[in-house]
Amino acid sequence: MTKSLTKVIYKPSTQSSEEFTVIVNLEEYKKWKEGDTTIPLAEVVDSFDVFHSTQGAQGILGKASNQQLDNVFGTHKDVDVVQQLLQKGTPQQSDGIRSSDFGGTNISIGSFGVDTKGKGLRGL
């Protein structure tokens, strides 16, 4: 069984595919969103890293730059940005990543065998 993953996504414009994302603890986020200000943000979010995608939900997530954060949130201070994102964003829950989702080999390259003797994988 996998642990589910919950992220809060904020789209600054409905016309844009640009999204900002932060990973959250769903139970703590719900309490915080309902007004329980006694919960520290450090317990609400997995980390204060804000991720950015220009391709929407299917795009590759990268860490947002200070300039991107300044342009959208008016600051790049992580606590302020995360707080705004949590207030304005919408939660989205998904299944976590399971190791069984990935095969044991890379079809294009071969096995994941590690050569620790420097002789190559020919002898395997």
Side-chain angles (χ1 to χ4, degrees):
M1 180 165 179
T2 62
K3 183 177 178 183
S4 65
L5 177 73
T6 304
K7 54 189 176 180
V8 175
I9 299 172
Y10 172 67
K11 290 182 74 162
S13 167
T14 57
Q15 302 299 317
S16 172
S17 60
E18 181 178 51
E19 292 183 349
F20 292 87
T21 304
V22 67
I23 309 298
V24 298
N25 174 335
L26 183 59
E27 293 79 27
E28 298 298 323
Y29 171 69
K30 285 181 181 178
K31 293 177 195 173
W32 183 87
K33 187 78 172 177
E34 291 171 358
D36 188 351
T37 57
T38 62
I39 301 172
L41 278 180
E43 292 182 19
V44 176
V45 297
D46 182 61
S47 76
F48 284 86
D49 289 333
V50 176
F51 300 100
H52 175 260
S53 172
T54 57
Q55 300 168 348
Q58 304 303 315
I60 296 172
L61 289 177
K63 192 168 186 300
S65 71
N66 286 347
Q67 183 178 6
Q68 290 169 322
L69 297 175
D70 281 332
N71 289 342
V72 173
F73 299 99
T75 182
H76 62 267
K77 186 176 175 188
D78 59 357
V79 174
D80 296 338
V81 169
V82 166
Q83 196 165 17
Q84 285 186 53
L85 201 150
L86 293 175
Q87 290 169 344
K88 298 176 183 177
T90 56
Q92 185 178 75
Q93 194 169 359
S94 63
D95 291 336
I97 298 173
R98 299 179 304 263
S99 60
S100 63
D101 289 344
F102 301 97
T105 60
N106 183 334
I107 296 169
S108 66
I109 295 174
S111 72
F112 280 116
V114 176
D115 177 18
T116 59
K117 307 220 187 282
K119 295 181 181 177
L121 294 174
R122 294 183 199 145
L124 291 179

